[in-house]
Amino acid sequence: MPSTIELLEAQPSPPDSGTLKVLAAFIDSARACAQACTSCAASALAEPDPGPLASCVAACLDCADVCLAAARIASRPLSVMRRDAAAALLQSCAGMCELTARECFRHEMHHQHCRLCMEAARTCLEACEMLLEEL
Amino acid sequence: MPSTIELLEAQPSPPDSGTLKVLAAFIDSARACAQACTSCAASALAEPDPGPLASCVAACLDCADVCLAAARIASRPLSVMRRDAAAALLQSCAGMCELTARECFRHEMHHQHCRLCMEAARTCLEACEMLLEEL
Amino acid sequence: MPSTIELLEAQPSPPDSGTLKVLAAFIDSARACAQACTSCAASALAEPDPGPLASCVAACLDCADVCLAAARIASRPLSVMRRDAAAALLQSCAGMCELTARECFRHEMHHQHCRLCMEAARTCLEACEMLLEEL
Amino acid sequence: MPSTIELLEAQPSPPDSGTLKVLAAFIDSARACAQACTSCAASALAEPDPGPLASCVAACLDCADVCLAAARIASRPLSVMRRDAAAALLQSCAGMCELTARECFRHEMHHQHCRLCMEAARTCLEACEMLLEEL
């Protein structure tokens, strides 16, 4: 399977290698976070007592949607004109990841899916902040 | 088919009717813009000479992704905690709509799909701004 | 906001008016069902006792994903080559809608969001079957 | 970042380890194919002469949507009831991957993004077939 760096390098005018690494790290983190959120939400709904996990599921659903949109948009060559819109999207992504990490933290002792999701959300939050500095 | 207002009113603690109207208008505009962008991009690719429309297609793809994520997130009950992340998402959505409207404006004389998409993007841009004031 | 029929008519080689109507009805039903599912899932998670609704939420999440993918793909000009892949997608969409309608039926007396979602899923199921006959 | 196998093992009733491996291989392939398609489409649109790549871009957009929906649904615990709907989705996914691989094959000598996307689509096609046998 192609790596994200290979895919970015195959673009007609790829970014320089420093930006490319930060961008690839963000794309990979956002895709992993979207997957962990989708999986955590579904696992929570399959638990014997899903009630106390409801707000965690809700946070995961939002977070998955924003991470996915951000990963797709970051995979496309970034024109100067849409830099502001991309930055706002990263800020939104960071905010949703923070919220998800906080929700999953409340359950990570009892649910492995929350622990994995919390870690993925924290990693994505850091990657958002790294990419925001690069833009 | 259920209207967006009916769906919002069916939530356990729906927003008051003023907010609900602004929220429903945004959700409907963002869903319509995502659809118009998806359709415009596909129509452009099916044109006899798609080359000059390439940057328009690229803008439409980004715009569809952000509008869709924003419409889904706005369809979920808005907790106070995720207000900032939602506001950033709306700002991103507004930015992408503005860019799409500008790209499609360059072609709206020759392509009906660009005219329809431009109008949908402008409507969504206004709805973003209205909802940002309400948050 | 542009209607689905207007968007389809703006394609370079639109389908004939009979097919176009069936196609537009499907796209509108699938988009409405995706929205109703997204909204029903979020509303269920915000209920005071969401536990008994967990399998309903899970069905809604799957159904929303398939309806959305099907609506996007049906919005793009349909080449002969991808007819089989599109038909399989419609069959999957019909199956997920049937499952969602059944899950929501169990709760529609107590939750308006389930009633709305059940109706949207049934409408989409019928529209899938109409379009499958047309392909 | 959590692996797909870890995420599946964190589900309340994970599948047995044979099924789990096939399922994880499919989820990873479908996510990678969706990413390669999104990236290939965007790279093609940024080429100096995107016209000849238009039908490749169109195939990639469809393929990305179906792969993404299939990966999300495969990430959720698979109830017996939705087995048929899931199988139809896998068949659709296989068909779209085959079409994408064929389109990208026509350009892989000249465009590295088409070569990477062709490989990802072929891998996903095989993973679809493996999982269909397992269902």
Side-chain angles (χ1 to χ4, degrees), chain C residues 12-72:
Chain C
S13 307
D16 68 83
S17 85
T19 303
L20 194 140
K21 271 179 201 162
V22 177
L23 192 57
F26 169 70
I27 294 170
D28 286 336
S29 305
R31 293 173 66 242
C33 185
Q35 184 188 23
C37 284
T38 299
S39 196
C40 182
S43 293
L45 292 166
E47 292 287 351
D49 182 18
L53 295 161
S55 68
C56 174
V57 174
C60 284
L61 296 182
D62 281 349
C63 197
D65 284 343
V66 174
C67 284
L68 195 66
R72 286 173 78 137

Side-chain angles (χ1 to χ4, degrees), chain A residues 45-111:
Chain A
L45 291 167
E47 292 287 353
D49 183 18
L53 295 161
S55 69
C56 174
V57 174
C60 284
L61 296 182
D62 281 349
C63 196
D65 284 342
V66 174
C67 284
L68 195 67
R72 286 174 78 137
I73 283 166
S75 300
R76 301 190 185 115
L78 188 64
S79 68
V80 178
M81 281 166 76
R82 62 196 188 83
R83 200 151 290 188
D84 289 350
L89 184 57
L90 289 172
Q91 267 148 1
S92 179
C93 190
M96 294 294 182
C97 286
E98 200 180 345
L99 196 55
T100 296
R102 217 182 303 167
E103 285 285 344
C104 284
F105 171 71
R106 295 168 47 214
H107 309 286
E108 59 115 7
M109 298 290 282
H110 302 98
H111 298 294

Side-chain angles (χ1 to χ4, degrees), chain A residues 115-135:
Chain A
R115 197 182 62 69
L116 295 171
C117 189
M118 178 190 76
E119 287 169 6
R122 284 180 182 169
T123 303
C124 187
L125 171 56
E126 279 171 41
C128 280
E129 285 165 357
M130 298 278 283
L131 185 54
L132 274 165
E133 280 172 34
E134 196 73 23
L135 282 185

